[in-house]
Amino acid sequence: MNDEIAAESTAPSTPSSTDGYVGDPAVRAEWDNRYAERQQLWSGRPNGALVAEVAALTPGRVLDVGCGEGADAVWLARRGWDVTALEVSGVALERAAGHAREAGLAVRWVHAALTEAALPPASFDLVSAQYPALLRTPDAAAERALLDAVAPGGVLLLVHHAGMDTQHAHDSGFDPADYVWPSMVTALLDDDWEVEVDEQRPRVAPDGGAGAHHADDLVLRVRRLR
């Protein structure tokens, strides 16, 4: 979630701390603070559902939504994908860009909220959203942004923690009703889409990192037919 660029041709390999972030400053600050509390928030390894669902796909253009510290983006780039990685936290993007540089890989970094990012429509062969914290709105803006980014013939892979969508609001302020879940995306599908996977299954979780305690995934993989 971090660093806006045109998703065409050349883009900076290092996000700038003075970039033109597009999105709610409060959301950026919240996530910047969360990342700043720890030297490393996540495990540093790619998400298991991404590896399982994408390994057999032919590499093309991919949008990594909520890329965090960049483990998925780096994994995809190593396998020949042309990666655009989007993130709201500038702290996370700086770390992600560092990991890509260390690996000698080129990634386009986009510092923006998904619904505010200037992304080319219908142009990604894969849109990957792994456990995204996408805010729900009456017009389903985030759900539509995910679908709108997928090119004809391309795939949207949305993975979330099973059971979170049915929890009650927490004392911490987290309310599942505020966020987008896979069922809200499937509700928008029409005949232009084919559901390839829609299931709950045991999570293949990298060791360590925040969220490692979640045992099951909701995995939604849909293909845009036209």
Short mmCIF file of all heavy atoms in Angstrom, two decimals, residues 3 21 23-24 37 85-86 94 104 130 145 158 186 191-192 207 216:
data_model
loop_
_atom_site.label_atom_id
_atom_site.label_comp_id
_atom_site.label_asym_id
_atom_site.label_seq_id
_atom_site.Cartn_x
_atom_site.Cartn_y
_atom_site.Cartn_z
N ASP A 3 3.07 4.21 -2.74
CA ASP A 3 3.82 4.87 -3.82
C ASP A 3 3.14 4.85 -5.15
O ASP A 3 3.08 3.83 -5.80
CB ASP A 3 5.21 4.29 -4.01
CG ASP A 3 6.21 5.38 -3.90
OD1 ASP A 3 6.41 6.13 -4.85
OD2 ASP A 3 6.80 5.49 -2.84
N TYR A 21 1.11 10.34 -2.26
CA TYR A 21 0.18 9.34 -1.75
C TYR A 21 -1.26 9.77 -2.01
O TYR A 21 -1.64 10.92 -1.77
CB TYR A 21 0.39 9.13 -0.25
CG TYR A 21 -0.71 8.33 0.41
CD1 TYR A 21 -0.84 6.97 0.18
CD2 TYR A 21 -1.64 8.95 1.24
CE1 TYR A 21 -1.84 6.23 0.78
CE2 TYR A 21 -2.65 8.23 1.85
CZ TYR A 21 -2.75 6.87 1.61
OH TYR A 21 -3.76 6.15 2.19
N GLY A 23 -5.04 8.78 -0.95
CA GLY A 23 -5.88 8.00 -0.04
C GLY A 23 -6.11 8.77 1.25
O GLY A 23 -5.70 9.92 1.40
N ASP A 24 -6.73 8.12 2.19
CA ASP A 24 -7.06 8.73 3.48
C ASP A 24 -5.78 8.81 4.33
O ASP A 24 -5.19 7.77 4.65
CB ASP A 24 -8.11 7.87 4.17
CG ASP A 24 -8.60 8.47 5.48
OD1 ASP A 24 -7.93 9.37 6.02
OD2 ASP A 24 -9.66 8.04 5.96
N GLU A 37 6.15 -0.15 14.63
CA GLU A 37 6.28 -0.77 15.95
C GLU A 37 7.21 -1.97 15.95
O GLU A 37 7.71 -2.38 17.00
CB GLU A 37 4.90 -1.19 16.47
CG GLU A 37 4.03 -0.03 16.90
CD GLU A 37 2.63 -0.47 17.26
OE1 GLU A 37 2.30 -1.68 17.07
OE2 GLU A 37 1.84 0.36 17.74
N ALA A 85 2.96 -3.38 -7.31
CA ALA A 85 2.61 -3.66 -5.91
C ALA A 85 2.08 -2.40 -5.25
O ALA A 85 2.74 -1.36 -5.26
CB ALA A 85 3.84 -4.18 -5.16
N LEU A 86 0.90 -2.51 -4.67
CA LEU A 86 0.18 -1.36 -4.12
C LEU A 86 0.09 -1.48 -2.60
O LEU A 86 -0.21 -2.56 -2.08
CB LEU A 86 -1.20 -1.30 -4.76
CG LEU A 86 -2.15 -0.18 -4.34
CD1 LEU A 86 -3.00 0.25 -5.53
CD2 LEU A 86 -3.07 -0.62 -3.20
N GLU A 94 8.84 1.04 1.81
CA GLU A 94 10.29 1.21 1.86
C GLU A 94 10.97 -0.13 2.12
O GLU A 94 11.99 -0.46 1.50
CB GLU A 94 10.66 2.22 2.96
CG GLU A 94 10.23 3.65 2.68
CD GLU A 94 11.08 4.34 1.62
OE1 GLU A 94 12.10 3.76 1.20
OE2 GLU A 94 10.72 5.46 1.22
N GLY A 104 17.67 -7.97 -6.65
CA GLY A 104 17.94 -7.56 -8.03
C GLY A 104 16.72 -7.62 -8.92
O GLY A 104 16.83 -7.89 -10.12
N GLN A 130 -4.17 -10.69 -0.79
CA GLN A 130 -3.97 -11.66 0.28
C GLN A 130 -4.28 -11.01 1.63
O GLN A 130 -3.55 -10.15 2.11
CB GLN A 130 -2.53 -12.17 0.25
CG GLN A 130 -2.10 -12.75 -1.08
CD GLN A 130 -2.78 -14.06 -1.39
OE1 GLN A 130 -2.83 -14.98 -0.56
NE2 GLN A 130 -3.32 -14.17 -2.60
N ALA A 145 -13.20 -2.23 -7.69
CA ALA A 145 -11.83 -1.92 -8.10
C ALA A 145 -11.02 -3.20 -8.33
O ALA A 145 -10.21 -3.27 -9.27
CB ALA A 145 -11.15 -1.05 -7.05
N LEU A 158 -8.45 -13.77 -4.33
CA LEU A 158 -8.73 -13.08 -3.07
C LEU A 158 -8.73 -14.11 -1.95
O LEU A 158 -9.47 -15.09 -1.99
CB LEU A 158 -10.09 -12.38 -3.15
CG LEU A 158 -10.62 -11.73 -1.88
CD1 LEU A 158 -9.66 -10.66 -1.36
CD2 LEU A 158 -12.01 -11.11 -2.13
N THR A 186 -18.08 -12.12 -4.77
CA THR A 186 -18.86 -13.09 -5.56
C THR A 186 -20.27 -12.56 -5.84
O THR A 186 -20.85 -12.87 -6.88
CB THR A 186 -18.94 -14.46 -4.85
OG1 THR A 186 -19.50 -14.28 -3.55
CG2 THR A 186 -17.57 -15.07 -4.71
N ASP A 191 -22.16 -12.90 -15.83
CA ASP A 191 -21.78 -13.93 -16.80
C ASP A 191 -20.40 -13.71 -17.42
O ASP A 191 -19.91 -14.57 -18.15
CB ASP A 191 -22.83 -14.01 -17.92
CG ASP A 191 -24.16 -14.54 -17.44
OD1 ASP A 191 -24.18 -15.16 -16.34
OD2 ASP A 191 -25.18 -14.34 -18.12
N ASP A 192 -19.79 -12.57 -17.14
CA ASP A 192 -18.43 -12.32 -17.64
C ASP A 192 -17.37 -13.02 -16.79
O ASP A 192 -16.18 -12.95 -17.13
CB ASP A 192 -18.14 -10.81 -17.65
CG ASP A 192 -18.92 -10.08 -18.73
OD1 ASP A 192 -19.43 -10.75 -19.65
OD2 ASP A 192 -19.01 -8.84 -18.65
N ASP A 207 5.89 -19.56 8.80
CA ASP A 207 6.19 -19.48 10.22
C ASP A 207 6.44 -18.03 10.64
O ASP A 207 7.13 -17.30 9.94
CB ASP A 207 7.42 -20.32 10.56
CG ASP A 207 7.19 -21.81 10.34
OD1 ASP A 207 6.02 -22.23 10.47
OD2 ASP A 207 8.17 -22.52 10.06
N ASP A 216 -7.42 -21.33 9.09
CA ASP A 216 -8.11 -21.64 7.84
C ASP A 216 -8.24 -20.41 6.95
O ASP A 216 -8.35 -19.28 7.44
CB ASP A 216 -9.50 -22.21 8.12
CG ASP A 216 -9.44 -23.58 8.77
OD1 ASP A 216 -8.97 -24.52 8.13
OD2 ASP A 216 -9.85 -23.68 9.95
#
